[in-house]
Amino acid sequence: GAVVSQHPSWVICKSGTSVKIECRSLDFQATTMFWYRQFPKQSLMLMATSNEGSKATYEQGVEKDKFLINHASLTLSTLTVTSAHPEDSSFYICSARDQRTGGLPQHFGDGTRLSIL
Amino acid sequence: QQQVKQSPQSLIVQKGGISIINCAYENTAFDYFPWYQQFPGKGPALLIAIRPDVSEKKEGRFTISFNKSAKQFSLHIMDSQPGDSATYFCAARSFNTGTASKLTFGTGTRLQVTL
């Protein structure tokens, strides 16, 4: 089956640093990837849609300059949390659409737990 | 309206029992309804999905019932097992030709299956 890999799975860093999270589709090409944020015991909230070769589309209320998204190839999208602060601590999950199946179902990575001290 | 309402928030079922989770939506443009299972510290995994032209879909112990006129759909887990203990999310997709279609998630149901 289609596999989406996220790296790192867990990161702890000091306030003010920038953190990059990678999302890779391992056995399929994904023109579109999605980035979600999930707080404890809550649902997944879509942050942005990442399109290969073009600018990401951000959901209302998500700071573009805070959460930088780059989708440079058909198998890799990155999310960079810039100047991270404790309130950015959360579980970040990426998802990818498989072109071969018309984008359904959407495949999810195992998430990255970000803790900002 | 893009909301998908999910209930109950939590559910405790005895081993061997039936777990039932319900979702309701308002947007008639939704055309695909998946259910995801999420274990702590992991990403969601697709369990089963249905399109609105089908009233029921069964895969093993998991069944989706879909009521298009009522705009409701539900997940039934038969013969629930302790290994089914997880958080379940319903979702709905609205297809947009101009932009990438997106999933809207329900609020989640924490299922605990007891021995």
Side-chain angles (χ1 to χ4, degrees):
Chain A
V3 177
V4 175
S5 175
Q6 249 183 275
H7 179 80
S9 56
W10 192 18
V11 57
I12 303 174
C13 60
K14 293 182 180 179
S15 183
T17 57
S18 293
V19 180
K20 180 184 282 187
I21 302 170
E22 292 187 349
C23 178
R24 295 181 184 273
S25 55
L26 296 187
D27 52 356
F28 65 97
Q29 293 184 331
T31 54
T32 303
M33 291 185 175
F34 302 90
W35 287 96
Y36 296 82
R37 185 173 182 176
Q38 186 178 34
F39 290 107
K41 298 183 181 181
Q42 292 191 22
S43 188
L44 285 77
M45 297 302 297
L46 180 65
M47 299 175 64
T49 302
S50 168
N51 299 295
E52 187 267 336
S54 64
K55 290 184 179 180
T57 302
Y58 291 82
E59 295 300 300
Q60 192 172 8
V62 177
E63 299 177 58
K64 300 179 183 182
D65 296 332
K66 177 74 170 176
F67 300 99
L68 300 180
I69 291 172
N70 184 277
H71 193 158
S73 78
L74 286 172
T75 59
L76 174 65
S77 176
T78 60
L79 168 68
T80 301
V81 184
T82 62
S83 186
H85 293 286
E87 58 267 25
D88 299 321
S89 298
S90 188
F91 193 49
Y92 293 87
I93 308 171
C94 74
S95 176
R97 301 172 67 205
D98 187 345
Q99 288 179 245
R100 300 169 300 180
T101 60
L104 294 174
Q106 210 169 290
H107 304 286
F108 286 81
D110 267 343
T112 296
R113 184 158 304 283
L114 175 62
S115 296
I116 309 297
L117 304 177
Chain B
Q1 182 65 283
Q2 292 292 316
Q3 258 188 327
V4 177
K5 297 180 180 179
Q6 184 172 345
S7 63
Q9 190 174 14
S10 62
L11 182 60
I12 300 175
V13 173
Q14 278 196 326
K15 179 182 176 182
I18 303 173
S19 304
I20 302 174
I21 304 171
N22 302 298
C23 283
Y25 64 97
E26 295 183 6
N27 186 353
T28 54
F30 287 144
D31 66 346
Y32 173 74
F33 302 87
W35 283 90
Y36 284 88
Q37 178 189 56
Q38 185 180 31
F39 291 103
K42 296 292 185 180
L46 178 70
L47 206 54
I48 188 172
I50 198 168
R51 290 195 180 269
D53 54 346
V54 177
S55 61
E56 185 175 283
K57 184 175 181 180
K58 183 177 181 179
E59 289 183 3
R61 296 186 294 111
F62 302 95
T63 300
I64 298 180
S65 296
F66 189 87
N67 186 328
K68 188 174 181 178
S69 60
K71 293 187 233 175
Q72 295 174 348
F73 58 109
S74 61
L75 175 69
H76 294 233
I77 305 174
M78 312 299 287
D79 187 25
S80 299
Q81 298 297 313
D84 297 330
S85 298
T87 300
Y88 292 81
F89 292 96
C90 63
R93 184 196 78 155
S94 57
F95 182 75
N96 295 303
T97 55
T99 60
S101 54
K102 324 185 251 196
L103 287 176
T104 300
F105 282 87
T107 48
T109 296
R110 300 185 76 186
L111 171 65
Q112 182 182 353
V113 181
T114 61
L115 293 171

